[in-house]
Amino acid sequence: MNAAAQEIPAKEILAVSNLTRIFGGLTAVRDVTMTVQAGEVVGLIGPNGAGKTTLFNMLGGSLPPSSGSIRFDGTDCTGAPSHVMGQRGVSRTFQITSLFPSLTALDNVRSAAYRTTRAGWGASILRNAAYRREEAELRRKAMDILVFCDLDHRADTLADAMSYGEQRRLEIAIALAAEPRLLLLDEPAAGMNPEEGQRLVEMIRRIRARGVTVLLVEHHMRVVASVCDRLVVLDHGVKIAEGAPAQVLNDPEVIRVYLGREPVDA
Amino acid sequence: MNTNSHGHSLAIAGGVAALAVLPFLAGNAYLEHLLVLWMLYALLALSLNIVIGYLGELTFGHAAFVGVGAYTSAILSTQLGLPPLLGLPMAGLVAAAFGLVIGYAALRVVGPQFAILTLGFGAILFTITNHWVDLTRGPMGITDIPPMAIGPLAFDSARPTYYLVLALVLATAWLCHALVSSRTGRAFLAVRENAPLAASLGINVFHTKLLGFVAATAIAGIGGAIYAHYIRVITPDIMGVHNVAALIIVVIIGGRGTILGPILGALVYIGLLESLRVAGPLRMVIFAALLTGTVVFLPGGLVSLWQRWRNSHKAENNLPATPTGLPSTEGGAK
């Protein structure tokens, strides 16, 4: 597989090999091979149109690859639909704010905990002990996640009525409620001011501390450089560099295609 | 869904008690008949609300499933001599089977395309019923349908039938409440609000919608059977477009995505239908205007008036506003 990944002893949670996606005559992602180790925070960067979101959509199952394979936790997931990836433990956020607009923050999180709950309609009709126990547990867990995302004071507010920054945090709360093993964050810092960006960095670190592996697409270099263990750079659908942030961000090729002529203060 | 449960259960108990004594206050057979119609429409609207309110999909085929249930029980009791009590679950099963097949095909598409497909399937069922004279007697309809009976207790007049349908309405209301306070129902709402996000959280969108659709058609079938054994005569008109429109109007005016809404909407519909009899065919124009007005000015339906009042009341007293209950389907597009 990947030359860069062979030395690392940690468990490989995601292995992408020779992944390609063609839209008509356009090859959005070409022959990309990369791996993510369990517990890592990996950044996926590249200029607009580099194929980052296309790659994300394939990983999340909402877009089948044209060729190549995706293995998640040792299981082949190539072409598996979105809800199957979700059930296996891959959660994602979307580039454009994506939540359940006319539900409260608490219900957003509770709805998102689908994968982690069992008691369904039947149990709810009977109001049996299993149902009551699970609902109490779910409410507690959902509140914990809201506290984690600093949204507990907004638990009864409709998602629609929240500020932009709150909505972006609620998105992460939703993704976390599914108790994912791999979290795909698509431009979580988009539209955030530096202070909110810093808050996001803290949040990603704490998410990692909970044992969740994170793969994120991001344009804010400060966020990327301060939170990622490793970076993968795409350009025109092709992987052009991979490695530690400091090294990648000073790679002349990366600077040329992505960051302009100036070196970055990372 | 809110948790100030003490006041809630008190209000519900009061409401049920009021419903239980209503026939005694009605005083005459005509008003009792209207009460039965109210409960029947409430039952059917509650079932339609599962699709429109919780799943956020518009279906124009609901009356067809009411008809399937009505014809199933009517044919079983008149031609095979099956007791109507057994016809009731059979009506639900057959309607659910139709719902499964039609839903399996139609739920592959969403939004307007789904609505048009259900309109088409509804029209097909209507046409078959109208022309398969050997089975359904076509436009002549089925007459002399025996009344529903549980042992010696015959539901051959309005008052006992009212209590039978009231019991079914309350049971269905509980089913709906249990649904939205469960993992399954939260998946329904997630699918309505944002299907791609729901899928990314492990929810199988297609299966979730199919479950809701089949449950709704099963209840519609049972409602249809009750209607057949109460009115004792059915014709293919029961599947007609006017019935589709009536049920949609009831759900939207009352408040989609709520339990009280469809029950309230059915009351308004039956009440206006009768009190506007003098207006003749103009009634339908008035209903169209009402529907349009509700959609524009009160998208949450009649029940949202109460929430509005409560929120403004709280604002006056500097209390935090509570969210407006189970919301409308407006957000589904995001």
Side-chain angles (χ1 to χ4, degrees):
Chain A
M1 300 226 56
N2 196 321
Q6 63 192 219
E7 298 290 316
I8 303 170
K11 196 162 141 280
E12 196 176 83
I13 193 164
L14 180 73
V16 172
S17 42
N18 308 103
L19 206 61
T20 300
R21 173 69 210 200
I22 300 166
F23 293 109
L26 173 82
T27 307
V29 171
R30 189 193 300 271
D31 217 18
V32 168
T33 295
M34 64 177 281
T35 57
V36 176
Q37 310 298 322
E40 254 189 325
V41 176
V42 175
L44 191 60
I45 62 171
N48 286 330
K52 306 179 297 283
T53 297
T54 303
L55 180 57
F56 249 46
N57 286 342
M58 288 191 281
L59 296 179
S62 51
L63 189 69
S66 302
S67 65
S69 74
I70 300 166
R71 289 179 76 80
F72 175 67
D73 200 26
T75 317
D76 184 48
C77 293
T78 317
S82 191
H83 68 267
V84 171
M85 296 307 286
Q87 276 157 11
R88 289 189 179 151
V90 179
S91 271
R92 67 169 301 182
T93 65
F94 295 78
Q95 198 170 346
I96 300 160
T97 308
S98 182
L99 21 75
F100 303 125
S102 50
L103 302 185
T104 63
L106 181 63
D107 280 339
N108 264 272
V109 176
R110 284 200 289 195
S111 297
Y114 185 79
R115 189 172 95 84
T116 72
T117 48
R118 284 289 155 264
W121 194 356
S124 174
I125 292 170
L126 302 173
R127 293 289 139 125
N128 57 18
Y131 168 82
R132 278 174 285 137
R133 194 171 342 108
E134 190 175 275
E135 283 298 307
E137 171 75 8
L138 176 61
R139 193 187 172 81
R140 197 185 54 73
K141 270 204 274 190
M143 283 310 293
D144 280 354
I145 290 172
L146 287 179
V147 169
F148 182 83
C149 297
D150 195 14
L151 286 169
D152 46 319
H153 60 292
R154 302 290 264 163
D156 290 326
T157 309
L158 296 185
D160 239 0
M162 291 180 157
S163 74
Y164 180 75
E166 286 172 335
Q167 288 185 340
R168 305 273 358 189
R169 273 182 280 140
L170 182 58
E171 284 185 284
I172 294 178
I174 288 171
L176 286 179
E179 294 180 8
R181 309 196 26 231
L182 175 64
L183 180 58
L184 307 172
L185 299 174
D186 199 350
E187 298 196 22
M192 285 188 172
N193 61 34
E195 188 201 332
E196 287 171 326
Q198 190 51 43
R199 214 165 160 182
L200 181 76
V201 166
E202 285 307 315
M203 207 151 134
I204 294 173
R205 287 199 177 123
R206 282 186 292 142
I207 289 169
R208 188 241 291 264
R210 289 166 78 126
V212 180
T213 309
V214 180
L215 180 61
L216 81 154
V217 164
E218 193 44 78
H219 281 304
H220 282 47
M221 280 311 129
R222 210 175 284 278
V223 170
V224 169
S226 58
V227 81
C228 293
D229 302 313
R230 208 150 54 79
L231 294 183
V232 172
V233 190
L234 289 186
D235 180 43
H236 291 105
V238 180
K239 186 171 91 174
I240 58 162
E242 182 175 10
Q247 171 203 337
V248 167
L249 295 178
N250 288 302
D251 184 311
E253 174 71 359
V254 174
I255 294 169
R256 192 185 62 75
V257 302
Y258 182 51
L259 299 163
R261 291 175 194 286
E262 305 290 321
V264 210
D265 69 316
Chain B
M1 288 267 286
N2 277 327
T3 46
N4 48 351
S5 49
H6 220 75
H8 250 135
S9 23
L10 221 70
I12 289 168
V16 172
L19 286 173
V21 297
L22 261 184
F24 295 96
L25 304 176
N28 64 56
Y30 169 66
L31 282 179
E32 283 181 10
H33 171 68
L34 292 188
L35 285 178
V36 175
L37 288 186
W38 171 27
M39 281 300 129
L40 267 170
Y41 269 94
L43 180 66
L44 298 177
L46 275 172
S47 71
L48 179 60
N49 181 48
I50 296 175
V51 182
I52 294 186
Y54 299 146
L55 290 177
E57 292 288 353
L58 188 56
T59 168
F60 288 126
H62 212 60
F65 298 104
V66 177
V68 166
Y71 269 93
T72 300
S73 196
I75 290 170
L76 285 177
S77 60
T78 54
Q79 295 191 6
L80 300 179
L82 197 77
L85 188 62
L86 290 180
L88 210 59
M90 287 305 295
L93 279 177
V94 173
F98 273 84
L100 185 67
V101 173
I102 290 173
Y104 196 83
L107 286 166
R108 312 246 154 214
V109 292
V110 297
Q113 285 116 315
F114 171 75
I116 296 294
L117 266 186
T118 56
L119 184 66
F121 280 116
I124 290 169
L125 287 178
F126 174 80
T127 309
I128 291 175
T129 314
N130 210 18
H131 287 89
W132 194 355
V133 178
D134 291 340
L135 184 72
T136 65
R137 294 172 42 86
M140 292 176 291
I142 299 178
T143 51
D144 294 328
I145 303 168
M148 188 72 57
I150 302 176
L153 177 60
F155 298 93
D156 51 0
S157 65
R159 192 175 289 184
T161 308
Y162 170 80
Y163 286 109
L164 177 68
V165 193
L166 174 61
L168 282 172
V169 166
L170 293 178
T172 305
W174 174 252
L175 279 183
C176 292
H177 174 73
L179 176 67
V180 290
S181 48
S182 78
R183 165 189 199 252
T184 318
R186 284 192 287 262
F188 279 38
L189 302 185
V191 164
R192 174 191 79 187
E193 293 286 301
N194 190 338
L197 179 59
S200 83
L201 295 163
I203 296 168
N204 187 324
V205 173
F206 177 67
H207 285 174
T208 303
K209 284 187 177 177
L210 193 57
L211 173 67
F213 193 72
V214 170
T217 52
I219 298 170
I222 292 173
I226 300 255
Y227 176 83
H229 292 290
Y230 173 62
I231 302 287
R232 317 273 297 267
V233 179
I234 49 167
T235 64
D237 278 347
I238 191 176
M239 297 179 163
V241 177
H242 69 279
N243 244 345
V244 171
L247 290 175
I248 293 173
I249 288 171
V250 166
V251 173
I252 306 269
I253 289 183
R256 61 198 133 157
T258 68
I259 291 168
L260 198 56
I263 300 175
L264 217 58
L267 176 64
V268 170
Y269 180 77
I270 296 295
L272 283 179
L273 197 67
E274 291 305 313
S275 53
L276 293 177
R277 259 191 202 288
V278 283
L282 255 181
R283 282 188 302 177
M284 292 332 276
V285 179
I286 295 171
F287 276 119
L290 254 180
L291 179 66
T292 313
T294 309
V295 169
V296 174
F297 298 110
L298 203 62
L302 285 173
V303 287
S304 66
L305 279 178
W306 152 249
Q307 280 144 350
R308 272 191 201 183
W309 176 83
R310 203 174 43 171
N311 280 348
S312 63
H313 185 71
K314 279 186 174 177
E316 278 168 25
N317 295 302
N318 289 324
L319 291 167
T322 45
T324 41
L326 266 176
S328 69
T329 54
E330 305 288 83
K334 277 208 179 175

